[in-house]
Amino acid sequence: MSGSIIKLNSAIISAGSVVGKKEREGPLGTYFDLHDEDDRFGQKTWERAEAEMQRLAANIALSKCDMNEKSIDAIFAGDLINQCTSSAYGLLEYEVPFFGLYGACSTAIEGLMLSSVMTSFGVYKRCLSATSSHNCSAERQFRTPLEYGAQRAPTAQWTVTGAGAFVTESADSENACGKARITEAMPGISVEKGIRDAGNMGAAMAPAALNTLLRYFDESGKSPSDFDLIATGDLGYEGISILLELLGAEGIDASGVLNDCGMMIFNRETQDTHSGGSGCGCSAVVLASYLLPRLERGEIKNMLILGTGALMSPDSIKQGLGIPGIAHLLHIKGSEVR
Amino acid sequence: MSGSIIKLNSAIISAGSVVGKKEREGPLGTYFDLHDEDDRFGQKTWERAEAEMQRLAANIALSKCDMNEKSIDAIFAGDLINQCTSSAYGLLEYEVPFFGLYGACSTAIEGLMLSSVMTSFGVYKRCLSATSSHNCSAERQFRTPLEYGAQRAPTAQWTVTGAGAFVTESADSENACGKARITEAMPGISVEKGIRDAGNMGAAMAPAALNTLLRYFDESGKSPSDFDLIATGDLGYEGISILLELLGAEGIDASGVLNDCGMMIFNRETQDTHSGGSGCGCSAVVLASYLLPRLERGEIKNMLILGTGALMSPDSIKQGLGIPGIAHLLHIKGSEVR
């Protein structure tokens, strides 16, 4: 039974996104709900700015469906920063049961998955999941503070400054009408293939995405052609090219359908992000404000989204350990597909 | 509906504990499954030692019920260290879906709670939850490396070197016979009351324990006298004295029944731990190897355990923020109580 698909029946009834200046200037910029021109969101530190973004994203998601903290039964949230303080502080004002998560950049999908399990199986009526990343807090957390001006490798990705939040309910609820529905989950298994370079997380995470996709295709009997889109969270150009190659070696051609939120969010030619965007916020805001509306309009009928995460820490990198990757998969259907 | 009790029907069919030298020398020392005389567990760094402890605890828990990784459907795990690497690396060899958690010292109970929800509601047949803390990795993570010889305040606690793992199934399963059963959960709400001292986490967490207990007593109609034991995870002597006072102000007398895993695990007179033990591993090993056997023998018929956590990071402390606390509650019944 280990590693099998969980059948779900939930709907994302609302979502909110908050981004920074660079994300606003990217190709998806106008879709996001809120941005700040100096990425500080009125706060004195980058960590507090990130927490504030998460608070704002959660507020937006709730206000869009005319709800408030009293309407939700539990929060599932996490982020990249030490001890997940962006979530802990950002969502502190919510007097709601709080489940702290750590899935690195997979956290958006991990949180959505657990919210979806809870609402599908009747544990809770309505859940909020939230996550965030901030370029400036992440760079000093995982690599070097921006002030050092360290040169970035071509394989390096640009941590997205963004926070996303989602409200989920059972797909049988009234509020689910016309919304995207989460029908299956395939939780990720940690995979470590010897990548030790914190500037090449795409390579560390691609084998985990492969692992999850192979298990999903194997059990479901489906193939890439069954989907309009298979979106990974933040493999970037480097990771996606590796994943396509790894899938090809298994005889699977996903080239027409595979895309990456980290590739969608920035303009490769003009925004100088090297291998593309990354971070918990990357998949969160792209799903919340770009993909979900397309699902709701029926432009996407069937998609897989894989939250990809690199489970290293600054200390594990210094101690020379490989970077474990993980990829949590959700099958999301557009509103018209029953 | 926010903040209400989740009715559960799961059983802890097996548990494993691994501790360090000081924990072995404490009053519960002989109960633990495994210890290491130099706290290194054969590893070169404290972080890797902690990861190894978590691996060993999980192996012990599985071997005690004659199972292996193929027997479990999912792992719920987390720890205190940056980006939860003790869990990510310690459990990397398990090819099992992995849900990373961050609940600070509440993680043992958060993981057990989610495992219990999954097995009670039929999402999964069998889950493993695991957590750890290590005195040497935690001190340099949150306060100062031990080599600095910093003087500890009287309110400071001693992070337990320990890892615990639990295997859960539905209480209706064959393996549940004679085992302790988890019948209710009351997930915690984050509470921050202005404590800014990383050397006084008992004071930061006590209001969160109060919040959860008041909500639980209010909804269930129960009182402390309905339980043989109400065990908090790691409030320590300072936090317990605050909690008793806070409960007293609400007209609730818990003095005869309230105890703390951090007070149980060390000898206050001879082990110089100041306010008692703390850390994810504290509640995990005390529950796994001291309380669970008592529940299984029927010596404890009804208990509440509250995983208490302080959701700060080194950065949030340096930035002058208050420490949010959280307390996840489980109602566990002994084997003879139906």
Side-chain angles (χ1 to χ4, degrees), chain A residues 170-185:
Chain A
S170 161
D172 297 330
S173 82
E174 248 179 63
N175 295 320
C177 184
K179 301 296 181 183
R181 289 167 305 116
I182 300 175
T183 59
E184 291 178 311

Side-chain angles (χ1 to χ4, degrees), chain A residues 80 82-83 89 100 110 141 322, chain B residues 80 82-83 89 100 110 141 322:
Chain A
L80 294 175
N82 262 7
Q83 284 75 41
Y89 286 91
E110 184 187 354
Q141 173 84 180
Chain B
L80 293 176
N82 262 5
Q83 285 75 38
Y89 287 91
E110 184 187 354
Q141 173 83 178

Side-chain angles (χ1 to χ4, degrees), chain A residues 20-284:
Chain A
K21 182 169 185 286
K22 195 181 187 83
E23 292 70 23
R24 165 72 181 181
E25 291 167 353
L28 309 183
T30 55
Y31 297 118
F32 301 123
D33 294 316
L34 191 75
H35 80 286
D36 186 56
E37 277 298 311
D38 68 2
D39 292 4
R40 291 188 179 272
F41 293 87
Q43 304 297 312
K44 285 185 183 171
T45 70
W46 299 124
E47 287 75 17
R48 294 188 73 170
E50 185 180 334
E52 175 66 5
M53 286 165 59
Q54 201 164 142
R55 188 184 74 81
L56 290 167
N59 278 355
I60 291 168
L62 287 171
S63 65
K64 276 192 189 177
C65 57
D66 289 326
M67 293 185 185
N68 57 37
E69 64 167 6
K70 291 192 199 315
S71 320
I72 50 173
D73 298 318
I75 293 174
F76 291 84
D79 57 89
L80 294 175
I81 298 305
N82 262 7
Q83 284 75 41
C84 296
T85 45
S86 310
S87 316
Y89 286 91
L91 303 172
L92 186 54
E93 69 178 38
Y94 288 89
E95 288 187 26
V96 174
F98 180 85
F99 291 89
L101 307 179
Y102 186 77
C105 304
S106 76
T107 304
I109 305 303
E110 184 187 354
L112 200 48
M113 183 179 288
L114 286 169
S115 296
S116 188
V117 167
M118 294 289 171
T119 50
S120 293
F121 283 81
V123 182
Y124 283 131
K125 183 177 176 194
R126 196 176 298 119
C127 291
L128 177 84
S129 60
T131 192
S132 61
S133 54
H134 193 298
N135 187 268
C136 305
S137 61
E139 286 304 308
R140 75 171 169 189
Q141 173 84 180
F142 289 99
R143 284 161 288 260
T144 58
L146 295 181
E147 293 82 348
Y148 290 10
Q151 194 168 1
R152 302 172 65 246
T155 54
Q157 292 170 250
W158 187 275
T159 306
V160 164
T161 298
F166 303 89
V167 182
T168 47
E169 280 193 21
S170 161
D172 297 330
S173 82
E174 248 179 63
N175 295 320
C177 184
K179 301 296 181 183
R181 289 167 305 116
I182 300 175
T183 59
E184 291 178 311
M186 176 63 94
I189 291 176
S190 300
V191 175
E192 192 263 292
K193 295 289 184 190
I195 304 293
R196 288 172 164 71
D197 177 5
N200 191 359
M201 295 195 299
M205 298 187 290
L210 176 77
N211 175 294
T212 303
L213 279 172
L214 290 181
R215 289 187 293 119
Y216 178 76
F217 290 142
D218 183 56
E219 188 183 334
S220 68
K222 291 181 180 135
S223 69
S225 62
D226 289 312
F227 300 96
D228 307 318
L229 173 67
I230 299 176
T232 49
D234 60 345
L235 291 182
Y237 293 95
E238 181 75 7
I240 280 288
S241 75
I242 295 170
L243 178 58
L244 280 171
E245 200 171 311
L246 293 170
L247 282 167
E250 300 284 340
I252 296 170
D253 178 13
S255 55
V257 67
L258 187 64
N259 204 338
D260 183 71
C261 299
M263 286 158 54
M264 299 179 208
I265 196 168
F266 294 124
N267 184 314
R268 195 179 193 182
E269 307 305 320
T270 61
Q271 290 196 293
D272 189 27
T273 58
H274 294 17
S275 190
S278 68
C280 293
C282 180
S283 54

Side-chain angles (χ1 to χ4, degrees), chain B residues 3 12 17 34 52 81 106 150 155 161 178 184 205 215 235 280 295 312:
Chain B
I12 304 172
S17 67
L34 191 74
E52 175 66 4
I81 296 305
S106 75
T155 55
T161 298
E184 292 178 310
M205 298 187 290
R215 288 187 295 120
L235 292 182
C280 292
L295 282 153
M312 86 290 195

